[in-house]
Amino acid sequence: MKIRFTKMHGQGNDFVVIDAVRQSVSLDREQVRRIADRHFGVGCDQLLVVEPPTTAGNDFRYRIWNSDGGEVEQCGNGSRCFVRFVLDQGLTTKTEIRVETASGVIVPRLESTGQVTVDMGAPRLAPAQVPFDAAEERVTYPLVVDGVTLEVSVLSMGNPHAVQVVDDVDRAPVTTQGPRIENHPAFPKRVNAGFMQVVSRDAIRLRVWERGAGETLACGTGACAAVVSGIRRGLLDSRVRVTTRGGPLSILWPGPGHAVMMTGDAVRVFDGEIEL
Ligand SMILES: N[C@H](CCC[C@H](N)C(=O)O)C(=O)O
């Protein structure tokens, strides 16, 4: 099976994007892992597949797989690349599109600046919506990891996030503690682990150990989750510049019941074809 793809990234979080509107694509877990493999395949953090919508009124459906082969509910940086992709490929002429994902409809919009703003929907704060094993909803929760009690915010942006505040992200134990949090038994579907350094009330630095992908250079839903948790902790105002290792993201959250708005780049790197 030959598959045409486009390699893209959003702040260094990189993707293989496949048009399944005009080509027939059916991938199993091993084929996804092969495409994502940085030695035996193309290499990416996530694989994104563009499909026709399943519901009238929506423009596309968008499916997301982590490099470990697991299909997931949402990808913030990927949603920005999605807009750039469908416009570049001539799949639409709309600059604001309604996209079905496994966790609901999101609305990315191409700005005149070339950046993309995405309405990521409202954060889900109830533990059962994450899912997370906790008796009640709290701003932060104690989480014991290797005998150390962490104070984490836990929420869903369609996908699960556990965010802690650290003094210096460059010295945070992202690659050692991250996988321990990702696989903690309190998260039945595992979790993305965020490490947030508060620089000021409108600026943070962020590193994320992603579920199913490891540390990425940026995580869009992770940036949304970090800002929501910082606002709920009383540490941040509603508009925050998030500095990731791959570049900046702008996040706006007016507060409970409102959607989180994310703005950032979407870059096409090259087109290719892979034989599976
Ligand atoms: N690893 C995530 C999916 C990709 C999210 C990230 N790349 C983003 O930009 O939001 C998860 O398993 O929920």
Side-chain angles (χ1 to χ4, degrees):
M1 168 174 52
K2 280 190 179 179
I3 298 176
R4 295 186 312 282
F5 68 85
T6 297
K7 185 74 183 350
M8 304 187 77
H9 77 83
Q11 269 62 34
N13 180 196
D14 66 336
F15 310 104
V16 168
V17 190
I18 294 173
D19 168 3
V21 175
R22 292 176 298 197
Q23 59 183 344
S24 174
V25 176
S26 174
L27 300 170
D28 63 26
R29 188 181 185 101
E30 276 316 304
Q31 289 172 317
V32 171
R33 290 164 64 92
R34 164 79 189 286
I35 292 171
D37 190 290
R38 298 190 186 280
H39 300 285
F40 297 101
V42 180
C44 61
D45 293 324
Q46 280 87 32
L47 173 69
L48 313 179
V49 175
V50 178
E51 300 180 347
T54 62
T55 305
N58 296 329
D59 299 296
F60 295 98
R61 181 184 182 207
Y62 150 58
R63 297 178 70 184
I64 305 145
W65 285 263
N66 284 320
S67 55
D68 71 353
E71 185 170 4
V72 292
E73 312 89 342
Q74 192 54 268
C75 180
N77 290 323
S79 62
R80 300 198 310 278
C81 290
F82 180 96
V83 173
R84 166 75 58 209
F85 178 79
V86 293
L87 285 165
D88 289 352
Q89 295 292 322
L91 287 167
T92 185
T93 55
K94 292 182 178 179
T95 55
E96 180 170 291
I97 53 179
R98 290 181 55 81
V99 187
E100 297 169 9
T101 72
S103 63
V105 173
I106 56 173
V107 185
R109 180 182 69 244
L110 179 65
E111 307 282 10
S112 57
T113 59
Q115 290 206 305
V116 180
T117 294
V118 189
D119 172 341
M120 294 298 294
R124 291 75 150 180
L125 303 172
Q129 291 178 297
V130 177
F132 173 54
D133 294 342
E136 59 181 357
E137 178 185 326
R138 299 161 58 103
V139 172
T140 63
Y141 303 85
L143 188 75
V144 179
V145 177
D146 296 333
V148 175
T149 300
L150 306 176
E151 185 186 15
V152 294
S153 301
V154 178
L155 59 101
S156 170
M157 288 304 304
N159 59 345
H161 289 271
V163 187
Q164 62 180 291
V165 176
V166 296
D167 294 334
D168 180 350
V169 288
D170 293 329
R171 293 174 36 239
V174 176
T175 57
T176 51
Q177 199 177 82
R180 308 289 292 157
I181 298 170
E182 172 193 2
N183 295 287
H184 193 285
F187 297 97
K189 291 190 176 179
R190 297 185 293 155
V191 71
N192 299 283
F195 299 77
M196 163 172 70
Q197 175 184 346
V198 179
V199 175
S200 64
R201 292 193 61 84
D202 66 356
I204 65 171
R205 299 177 67 209
L206 179 68
R207 290 172 66 187
V208 180
W209 177 272
E210 286 200 27
R211 175 181 62 170
E215 181 175 9
T216 57
L217 292 181
C219 179
T221 52
C224 295
V227 169
V228 168
S229 70
I231 292 171
R232 298 187 76 224
R233 292 174 186 237
L235 304 174
L236 297 175
D237 293 333
S238 60
R239 186 183 296 276
V240 179
R241 175 180 172 87
V242 179
T243 299
T244 74
R245 289 191 155 183
L249 288 168
S250 176
I251 307 294
L252 168 66
W253 186 50
H258 290 275
V260 183
M261 304 301 287
M262 169 189 63
T263 299
D265 293 336
V267 177
R268 176 178 158 273
V269 182
F270 65 87
D271 295 325
E273 189 173 83
I274 185 167
E275 181 93 40
L276 286 177

